[in-house]
Amino acid sequence: MQIKKILVTEWENQTLSPDFILMGIFSHTPTHVFLFSLVLGIFTVALLANTLMVLLIRLDSRLHTPMYFLLSQLSLMDLMLICTTVPKMTCNYLSGRKSISVAGCEAQIFFYASLFGAECFLLAVMAYDRYVAICYPLQYPSLMTWKVCGLMVASSWILGAFDGIVDVAATLSFSYCGSREIAQFFCDVPALLRLSCTDTSTFETLIFICCVVMLLLPLSLIIISYTRVIIAVICMSSGEGRHKAFTTCTSHLTVVGMYYGAAMFMYMRPTSDRSPTQDKMVSAFYTILTPTLNPLIYSLWNKDVAKAFKKIWKQMQTQQDCHVNMKEHIRVVFYRPGNSKDCQQPPEAR
């Protein structure tokens, strides 16, 4: 009888509480503890790699070009995206509390949707940049000026933010009754809609249209751009130029394939074909793994980024060696055995 009362009380508290419950993807079994530690390690790598990429492009003057400026924006978006989901998941897992406030949930939806949309458009801008650079190299400085580049990047951020505002406004307008358990490790819109007791079919249609606009239209531009690029690369007479263009485009196409493939599988499937387990795995791939792989792919396949890293590393080592030598010099001058008394006395006494 006492157990029944406790269960009823817990159910009432969950029902009356305005907070949502994030079910997460890990339990406390040994296998899941290992997987959680692995995700935490991946998050750390993503944090360091994307921060390093932004700093390298900012500090090395040779990387002050539109292509690398776009790459720094991609790293910034990946950095913000992974920080939107993983810290809350980590906090909930370590503390044992799975709740998230309505305001916190809406904040996650806004940042996640905004960054997701902005990155879709930015990848299309990056494809256009490579198309102009390879197909029209002589006109590139006039076609891809800093003003044009800045406007396209700003447009990507603004369009992404618009998508985030629409998602937040729609989810706030719905009523949620019964269970408030979200079958995800963050506040994802499709998972949240399953909890609504109002008709969401119109909004689901709007989400599908937004996915078409944000996924298929940029993807079409990317395919057209790289079709032209591949033709131009094949016709190149210089083997070195062909290799450099191929390396740059391969890294970009790898990132595009991972990002768009996972996103289309996640958001353009029929609702009847979705399962919470599949949604969690796919979401983990493009919110945790993809932001980690992006800077690694670009740094491993890009000689300019590797050179910039080596240059900064050598400068840091040189400064450290100078600091050590300076300390050693000061120690030798002021702490010689014969002058120990003189060094301890003030100048006036001597």
Side-chain angles (χ1 to χ4, degrees):
M1 188 68 180
Q2 186 69 22
I3 296 175
K4 185 177 179 182
K5 287 182 179 180
I6 293 172
L7 292 175
V8 170
T9 304
E10 289 182 353
W11 180 83
E12 288 176 349
N13 290 337
Q14 181 178 332
T15 305
L16 297 175
S17 174
D19 295 346
F20 292 102
I21 306 297
L22 296 174
M23 300 306 295
I25 52 178
F26 300 120
S27 61
H28 289 276
T29 61
T31 303
H32 280 205
V33 170
F34 169 75
L35 291 175
F36 171 76
S37 303
L38 185 63
V39 167
L40 209 58
I42 292 173
F43 169 72
T44 305
V45 172
L47 205 64
L48 294 175
N50 283 292
T51 303
L52 181 62
M53 185 68 74
V54 173
L55 290 176
L56 281 177
I57 295 171
R58 177 69 181 86
L59 295 175
D60 196 310
S61 58
R62 293 176 299 179
L63 302 182
H64 292 176
T65 63
M67 183 183 82
Y68 291 109
F69 174 69
L70 296 175
L71 181 55
S72 70
Q73 294 297 301
L74 179 66
S75 293
L76 181 61
M77 289 178 184
D78 285 336
L79 188 63
M80 294 175 65
L81 180 63
I82 199 168
C83 289
T84 300
T85 57
V86 176
K88 179 60 180 175
M89 180 192 73
T90 303
C91 181
N92 284 359
Y93 183 81
L94 294 177
S95 66
R97 296 178 68 249
K98 297 183 178 182
S99 62
I100 182 171
S101 64
V102 175
C105 190
E106 297 301 334
Q108 273 197 338
I109 290 173
F110 172 75
F111 283 109
Y112 171 77
S114 299
L115 294 166
F116 173 79
E119 193 158 334
C120 287
F121 292 114
L122 184 67
L123 289 172
V125 173
M126 294 174 72
Y128 173 76
D129 173 72
R130 290 300 84 205
Y131 161 70
V132 176
I134 294 172
C135 296
Y136 302 98
L138 299 178
Q139 291 85 7
Y140 179 76
S142 59
L143 292 175
M144 200 66 180
T145 62
W146 281 109
K147 183 178 180 180
V148 172
C149 183
L151 285 173
M152 288 194 291
V153 169
S155 299
S156 299
W157 283 99
I158 292 170
L159 289 171
F162 176 75
D163 179 56
I165 292 170
V166 170
D167 286 347
V168 168
T171 51
L172 279 175
S173 66
F174 295 136
S175 300
Y176 299 96
C177 45
S179 174
R180 301 180 76 84
E181 295 180 349
I182 302 175
Q184 264 289 11
F185 61 94
F186 67 100
C187 285
D188 192 23
V189 173
L192 197 61
L193 292 180
R194 298 191 190 106
L195 307 181
S196 177
C197 51
T198 54
D199 183 21
T200 61
S201 57
T202 303
F203 182 60
E204 288 178 6
T205 304
L206 179 62
I207 289 179
F208 182 80
I209 294 171
C210 287
C211 287
V212 170
V213 173
M214 292 192 305
L215 290 174
L216 294 186
L217 288 182
L219 184 60
S220 301
L221 179 60
I222 291 171
I223 292 172
I224 293 170
S225 298
Y226 275 104
T227 301
R228 297 289 301 274
V229 166
I230 291 170
I231 295 171
V233 169
I234 292 173
C235 297
M236 281 183 179
S237 56
S238 171
E240 184 180 352
R242 188 186 301 114
H243 175 72
K244 186 175 181 180
F246 177 76
T247 302
T248 305
C249 296
T250 303
S251 59
H252 187 207
L253 284 174
T254 303
V255 171
V256 167
M258 290 191 306
Y259 189 81
Y260 278 92
M264 291 175 70
F265 179 80
M266 180 70 184
Y267 292 106
M268 299 193 72
R269 283 181 299 157
T271 308
S272 57
D273 294 342
R274 292 181 177 174
S275 70
T277 304
Q278 280 185 339
D279 287 353
K280 288 179 184 179
M281 293 301 104
V282 178
S283 297
F285 176 80
Y286 71 83
T287 59
I288 300 174
L289 193 59
T290 301
T292 308
L293 293 176
N294 285 353
L296 297 180
I297 289 171
Y298 280 109
S299 61
L300 289 174
W301 288 357
N302 193 297
K303 292 182 179 179
D304 293 334
V305 174
K307 288 179 180 177
F309 178 73
K310 290 178 182 178
K311 178 184 175 183
I312 299 296
W313 181 256
K314 286 182 179 179
Q315 289 178 351
M316 291 173 61
Q317 284 185 323
T318 303
Q319 290 177 355
Q320 186 177 5
D321 292 341
C322 290
H323 183 65
V324 171
N325 292 336
M326 183 64 70
K327 287 176 67 177
E328 182 67 20
H329 179 70
I330 294 172
R331 189 183 69 81
V332 170
V333 171
F334 289 96
Y335 297 94
R336 286 181 299 186
N339 296 338
S340 58
K341 291 183 178 180
D342 294 339
C343 293
Q344 292 174 359
Q345 295 176 356
E348 293 79 8
R350 288 180 288 179

